[in-house]
Amino acid sequence: MRTATPYLAILAAATILGCGAGSSGSAVSVSSAVKAGTSKLSSVPTASGTAKLDNLYLVVKEIELEKAPTGTTGSTGSTGSTGSTGPSDDDVEELEVGPYVLELTINDTDLSPVQPFIPSTVVPPGSYKGIEFEIHRVRSTEKLNIQTTQGGVSLQGLSIVLEGTCTPAPTTPPTTPAPAPRPFAVTSTMEVEVEYEAPFEVVMDAESNVTLAFDASTWLAGPNGTTLDPCANDPEVNAKIMANVKASLKAFGDDDCDGKEDHD
């Protein structure tokens, strides 16, 4: 398994593959959910008016599971200790699942309903120490389960899309009719492999699930308590919003598919 940079490693925990998909054998599934906490994401005050967050789209190409180590680590050399070597091909289960678009609906609830990602995939039983997946932009030759976002944004050439609507601030004196909401889309063409260390067990003749939760309440959080304005269409602001989206991801074992860690 290739190691991601510390910054990109935050992104890691994408979903491994739909709760309750009903497969036979030992399977790993992935679900997803969006948390809003106490934030009202349907009406976020910004410098230019009010923003409403609607949907998030992520393009995933492949997922790899790395087996937990069972042997000893590297030996000690004459000039110091040597680190352990990376996993061999036998230590990695590569699941070809994509490209596949993960679509998440954003609402004001503390946790949106857990949503399936990709149908469960049979993998060998055992201990796995982490998940790695590749997010990449859509190429012209690739077929997707979703070609265009609900807001009308083509996913061609993109890897992440956050979309919603903006309502301009009222003028003084008020105009008639009042300004109508207009759509916005914050996009990324990021193409990178990322890793998230989240140990879990795959049990014989049972289905294990991993949930990927996004904390959407942080996506528009700027420095010193400010709010990032997706309505401004500022490339620098949009880059910060995308960084917040990446940093909000968290994966955990969730075999009962309730959107919470199993030990909670």
Side-chain angles (χ1 to χ4, degrees), residues 25-128:
S26 303
V28 175
S29 67
V30 176
S31 58
S32 55
V34 176
K35 298 192 299 180
T38 58
S39 299
K40 190 172 177 58
L41 301 179
S42 61
S43 182
V44 182
T46 68
S48 63
T50 302
K52 177 179 181 293
L53 303 185
D54 291 325
N55 300 290
L56 177 73
Y57 299 83
L58 235 68
V59 181
V60 179
K61 182 176 182 181
E62 66 182 34
I63 295 174
E64 292 180 354
L65 311 182
E66 184 180 352
K67 295 177 182 177
T70 56
T72 58
T73 58
S75 60
T76 300
S78 58
T79 59
S81 60
T82 59
S84 57
T85 60
S88 66
D89 291 341
D90 293 337
D91 296 325
V92 174
E93 294 296 331
E94 183 172 312
L95 309 179
E96 293 290 346
V97 298
Y100 194 94
V101 180
L102 169 61
E103 177 183 16
L104 291 166
T105 301
I106 304 163
N107 55 43
D108 289 334
T109 59
D110 181 59
L111 182 69
S112 66
V114 170
Q115 304 172 55
F117 177 25
I118 304 174
S120 59
T121 298
V122 175
V123 299
S127 299
Y128 294 85

Side-chain angles (χ1 to χ4, degrees), residues 114-254:
V114 170
Q115 304 172 55
F117 177 25
I118 304 174
S120 59
T121 298
V122 175
V123 299
S127 299
Y128 294 85
K129 75 171 189 177
I131 305 165
E132 181 181 88
F133 71 102
E134 181 182 342
I135 290 179
H136 80 142
R137 56 183 176 173
V138 181
R139 299 183 177 93
S140 59
T141 57
E142 294 172 325
K143 303 298 182 181
L144 297 174
N145 55 308
I146 298 172
Q147 300 292 333
T148 305
T149 70
Q150 291 190 36
V153 177
S154 172
L155 289 167
Q156 183 66 45
L158 301 177
S159 57
I160 303 175
V161 176
L162 171 63
E163 65 178 14
T165 55
C166 297
T167 301
T171 60
T172 304
T175 59
T176 303
R182 57 181 176 82
F184 75 82
V186 180
T187 65
S188 173
T189 59
M190 177 184 64
E191 191 167 332
V192 68
E193 294 173 347
V194 292
E195 181 178 346
Y196 188 90
E197 296 295 338
F200 61 93
E201 294 285 330
V202 175
V203 181
M204 177 69 73
D205 297 325
E207 181 172 299
S208 302
N209 181 71
V210 175
T211 285
L212 172 63
F214 300 75
D215 185 357
S217 67
T218 66
W219 293 351
L220 302 185
N224 303 317
T226 60
T227 299
L228 300 174
D229 188 356
C231 307
N233 198 25
D234 182 320
E236 185 176 344
V237 171
N238 289 352
K240 292 177 181 178
I241 293 173
M242 283 290 100
N244 286 347
V245 171
K246 298 171 189 178
S248 76
L249 307 186
K250 179 184 179 183
F252 45 81
D254 182 18

